[in-house]
Amino acid sequence: MESTLLSRKDQIDQTATALFRTRGFAATSMRELASALGMEAGSIYSHIRSKEEILHRICFRLAEDFFSGFEEAAADEILPAATRLRRAVESHVRVLTADVAASAVFLHEWRHLSEPARTEFLALRERYEAGFRQLIGEGAASGELYAPDPIFAALTLLASLNWLPSWYRPGGPLAPIDIAHRLANQLLFGLEVRGNQK
Amino acid sequence: MESTLLSRKDQIDQTATALFRTRGFAATSMRELASALGMEAGSIYSHIRSKEEILHRICFRLAEDFFSGFEEAAADEILPAATRLRRAVESHVRVLTADVAASAVFLHEWRHLSEPARTEFLALRERYEAGFRQLIGEGAASGELYAPDPIFAALTLLASLNWLPSWYRPGGPLAPIDIAHRLANQLLFGLEVRGNQK
DNA sequence: TTTTCTTGCTAACGAACGTTAGGAAAGGTA
DNA sequence: TACCTTTCCTAACGTTCGTTAGCAAGAAAA
């Protein structure tokens, strides 16, 4: 007996996520997906409308996760910007590590969304990144952070974080929260030794 | 009259690179590529052996560029490790910005190489990353760098750099060398203000 | 019991895929 | 002149693609 915790539809999403991640959306056929699920290709369409619908769900579900995590981390405007930034970084890492496969799809396969979903997705991502720019900008304005170019700094910061799904394996020696702390430290303190380090 | 600076084969590579970058290797058809070149699909095979051959050339050419750049930057062992690391970062950025499209393909589309090319490619990439780990490790050992986990630090560093092709546009306000300097500074000094900043 | 929902099958659809065969035009070289 | 190389064409090959239609078995709901 299979795990009945997931509906068949959720099983399809999950298996598709793994395949999309390793082989890419375009290179994953419905027959491959069906085979991985132990069924025939046509049968999948009792549960979904199209292949792209699966990708759509994966991408937009993660977008929501990132947003709600950020809200919670950065909403409290009493905290210093640097602290909120650190919390936002940790939230981002938490979402990434909670489902690495889905994160990888979210990061790389969104281009295979057709319009208007693609444009909608990019708008969401842009809003999310703007949140980070805002935090870094505030921190720079208040003198907490050294960031002569907040746009540039935000790009680099998210870049470091978003590479995580390409090497992180759940169950490794580092727990997600450890990774989050290390990343935050390295990004905020840098590599070069100057003065006291945490 | 077309630009005769590039052989037809090179034109194919170049056009394919742009398409592979924006649409992905699997989602780019030979008929699309042909159409972008103003010819028919079958005609391409007068110049190449297969679609994958194009991808192979793109990926391995860039691998060579990265390697030779790194050698030149980091070979001089008289220099401090931190200096060599900075030079290696700048070299990496230079290769990335010299051909952003090819870099994006190099970074994302290598999975569509079939064996044994795929394994060979990954081995090259691993060797390259090991070079960075080595530099960071040396710097940490000599006390120049603060990097309690050189493996982790190297991953983060290359992550920040490799995100560049997803936002860099040639001809923008920042010249490649400026970007290289900023990236190196941000990665080596971090964002948090402690002591004198360059 | 009857009905409905879920889940899956087989078979097939038209379209698109990478690739090949065979021929032809054009230009340089001998 | 004859030959070779480069370049591109048309037409088609066998395969795979996403998707649909129609049907059937079992479980759940009425």
Side-chain angles (χ1 to χ4, degrees):
Chain A
M1 179 188 290
E2 300 263 348
S3 151
T4 52
L5 297 173
L6 269 65
S7 73
R8 206 58 171 129
K9 187 171 173 180
D10 288 338
Q11 289 180 36
I12 292 173
D13 281 2
Q14 192 171 297
T15 307
T17 302
L19 286 173
F20 291 171
R21 184 228 195 142
T22 53
R23 311 181 64 89
F25 174 79
T28 302
S29 74
M30 294 304 280
R31 284 165 179 85
E32 253 182 297
L33 173 56
S35 162
L37 286 157
M39 61 199 299
E40 296 299 316
S43 312
I44 302 183
Y45 288 84
S46 302
H47 306 271
I48 63 160
R49 256 185 296 274
S50 71
K51 184 187 177 188
E52 186 178 331
E53 194 203 65
I54 305 178
L55 180 63
H56 189 283
R57 254 200 311 279
I58 298 172
C59 289
F60 281 80
R61 179 177 66 75
L62 239 77
E64 266 190 39
D65 290 351
F66 280 117
F67 263 111
S68 62
F70 185 89
E71 291 300 320
E72 204 182 328
D76 189 354
E77 305 204 357
I78 300 173
L79 296 170
T83 304
R84 281 184 287 149
L85 178 59
R86 183 178 288 269
R87 289 170 48 135
V89 166
E90 287 165 6
S91 161
H92 192 89
V93 172
R94 208 174 297 119
V95 175
L96 283 180
T97 51
D99 192 340
V100 235
S103 298
V105 173
F106 169 88
L107 290 168
H108 296 306
E109 304 299 326
W110 56 265
R111 329 184 235 156
H112 297 105
L113 292 169
S114 51
E115 298 297 351
R118 191 187 140 111
T119 299
E120 190 189 340
F121 176 88
L122 284 176
L124 283 179
R125 201 184 67 168
E126 163 57 26
R127 269 213 292 147
Y128 183 69
E129 295 182 2
F132 276 87
R133 277 200 298 273
Q134 170 82 15
L135 279 184
I136 293 178
E138 285 180 30
S142 72
E144 297 168 61
L145 300 179
Y146 174 75
D149 186 345
I151 295 177
F152 192 86
L155 278 169
T156 310
L157 182 130
L158 282 169
S160 313
L161 302 184
N162 286 339
W163 207 251
L164 200 149
S166 65
W167 58 265
Y168 172 75
R169 294 290 171 277
L174 289 178
I177 187 63
D178 297 327
I179 293 178
H181 285 152
R182 287 206 193 190
L183 273 171
N185 278 334
Q186 181 165 331
L187 291 167
L188 289 171
F189 290 125
L191 293 174
E192 200 127 343
V193 168
R194 291 163 306 121
N196 54 337
Q197 208 84 33
K198 180 229 158 180
Chain B
M1 181 189 293
E2 302 262 348
S3 152
T4 51
L5 298 174
L6 269 65
S7 74
R8 204 60 171 132
K9 187 171 172 179
D10 288 339
Q11 289 179 38
I12 291 174
D13 281 3
Q14 192 171 296
T15 307
T17 301
L19 286 174
F20 291 171
R21 182 225 195 147
T22 53
R23 312 181 64 89
F25 175 79
T28 302
S29 74
M30 294 304 280
R31 284 164 179 85
E32 255 183 295
L33 172 57
S35 162
L37 285 158
M39 61 199 300
E40 296 299 317
S43 312
I44 301 183
Y45 289 84
S46 302
H47 307 272
I48 63 159
R49 255 185 295 272
S50 70
K51 185 186 177 189
E52 186 176 333
E53 193 202 66
I54 305 178
L55 180 63
H56 188 284
R57 254 200 310 277
I58 298 172
C59 289
F60 282 79
R61 179 176 65 77
L62 240 76
E64 265 191 39
D65 290 352
F66 280 117
F67 263 111
S68 62
F70 185 89
E71 290 300 319
E72 203 180 330
D76 189 353
E77 306 204 356
I78 300 172
L79 296 170
T83 304
R84 281 185 286 149
L85 178 59
R86 181 176 290 266
R87 288 169 50 135
V89 166
E90 287 166 6
S91 161
H92 192 88
V93 172
R94 208 174 296 119
V95 175
L96 283 179
T97 52
D99 191 341
V100 233
S103 299
V105 173
F106 169 88
L107 290 168
H108 297 305
E109 304 299 325
W110 55 265
R111 329 184 235 152
H112 297 105
L113 293 169
S114 51
E115 299 295 352
R118 191 187 139 110
T119 299
E120 190 189 341
F121 177 88
L122 284 176
L124 283 179
R125 202 184 65 168
E126 164 57 26
R127 266 213 295 148
Y128 183 69
E129 295 181 3
F132 277 87
R133 278 201 296 274
Q134 169 82 14
L135 280 183
I136 293 178
E138 285 180 29
S142 72
E144 296 169 63
L145 300 178
Y146 173 74
D149 186 345
I151 295 178
F152 192 87
L155 278 169
T156 310
L157 183 130
L158 283 169
S160 313
L161 301 183
N162 286 339
W163 207 252
L164 201 149
S166 65
W167 58 266
Y168 172 76
R169 294 290 171 278
L174 290 179
I177 187 65
D178 298 327
I179 293 177
H181 286 151
R182 288 205 192 191
L183 274 171
N185 278 333
Q186 181 166 329
L187 291 167
L188 289 171
F189 290 125
L191 292 175
E192 201 128 341
V193 169
R194 291 165 304 121
N196 55 335
Q197 207 85 32
K198 183 224 157 175

